[in-house]
Amino acid sequence: MAHTTRRPKPSAGRPQSDEIDAAIKEAALDILSEVGFDPLSIAQVAKRAGTPTTSIYRRFDGKLPLVLWAVKEEFDSLELDLPDHGDLRGDLLAYTRQLAAGLSPRRSRILAGLLLRMRDIPELASFVSFELPQVSADIWNRLVERAVSRGELDDGYGLEMISTIAPIMIDRAIAFGRAIDEPFLTALVDDVLVPAMVHNRRRPSA
């Protein structure tokens, strides 16, 4: 079962503090981008956030839930939009460019660090493989609906797996230090996404 990232649990006996949540999140993300997952500790995050460790333990059961929450909050804050570019290829290029543009140097370092630990931490693998791609799920669904309305695709059936390709390939490129530039994105669209979607359209129904 996929890991579900939860918001911080309410502090016992006092109202939840948005300011403390924000400080904890930023501290966790900064440290994660600087040293990676393994060296990060609750004590480090508390010190950087200027809050007692008890404030963090009231919210999270340990380091992994803290990290998953902070990363999910960070990527949920991405503002993705997709004006109609007139055809499937144009929309896909805009989609992949927006995904790439949302990867600031800090976010790229965070993702690279998480990818390195996926093999050994099942909850982390589930989070990166299934939850993070949901950040772009709405824009992907809009893209598919437009292609269907234009007659470029029959329907959206079978495209859910294809929707994960762009985020995963961009994540993989980051992990290996490859530039996420226009040639990379064009190849991703022309050599991978468009052929996969068109091939899916031609497959007979079971």
Side-chain angles (χ1 to χ4, degrees):
M1 181 179 296
H3 178 88
T4 301
T5 306
R6 296 185 295 272
R7 297 189 64 84
K9 53 192 177 184
S11 299
R14 63 181 182 181
Q16 185 75 20
S17 168
D18 291 340
E19 292 78 10
I20 294 177
D21 284 351
I24 291 172
K25 185 194 83 169
E26 289 303 310
L29 293 173
D30 282 343
I31 296 171
L32 191 61
S33 72
E34 293 165 8
V35 303
F37 179 81
D38 285 341
L40 180 147
S41 70
I42 297 289
Q44 285 178 318
V45 174
K47 182 177 180 180
R48 183 80 63 97
T51 190
T53 56
T54 52
S55 293
I56 297 179
Y57 282 114
R58 287 192 188 102
R59 292 162 167 78
F60 304 98
D61 296 327
K63 180 170 77 170
L64 181 59
L66 164 62
V67 166
L68 296 186
W69 166 77
V71 174
K72 183 69 159 53
E73 288 284 303
E74 176 73 2
F75 281 88
D76 277 347
S77 69
L78 287 175
E79 295 183 3
L80 300 176
D81 192 19
L82 189 66
D84 192 335
H85 290 78
D87 61 15
L88 176 61
R89 181 179 184 272
D91 278 355
L92 284 170
L93 283 170
Y95 164 75
T96 56
R97 286 172 185 145
Q98 287 201 28
L99 289 181
L103 293 173
S104 64
R106 184 176 78 160
R107 288 173 181 151
S108 296
R109 291 193 299 271
I110 288 169
L111 276 182
L114 296 182
L115 287 164
L116 291 174
R117 299 297 287 122
M118 282 175 56
R119 180 179 296 180
D120 303 315
I121 306 175
E123 296 92 340
L124 194 56
S126 176
F127 174 75
V128 173
S129 300
F130 298 105
E131 283 204 55
L132 276 187
Q134 289 302 310
V135 172
S136 59
D138 288 344
I139 197 171
W140 174 266
N141 291 336
R142 210 178 320 151
L143 180 156
V144 170
E145 288 170 2
R146 287 179 188 163
V148 171
S149 68
R150 296 187 197 108
E152 296 173 293
L153 299 173
D154 294 330
D155 54 42
Y157 179 77
L159 296 181
E160 182 177 354
M161 184 174 292
I162 297 174
S163 72
T164 67
I165 291 175
I168 288 173
M169 290 194 69
I170 290 172
D171 290 349
R172 184 178 183 275
I174 289 170
F176 285 94
R178 181 171 180 178
I180 311 300
D181 52 17
E182 193 65 17
F184 173 86
L185 297 176
T186 300
L188 175 58
V189 169
D190 290 341
D191 299 341
V192 180
L193 294 179
V194 170
M197 296 174 83
V198 171
H199 174 73
N200 183 79
R201 180 182 186 183
R202 292 172 180 167
R203 285 191 307 181
S205 300

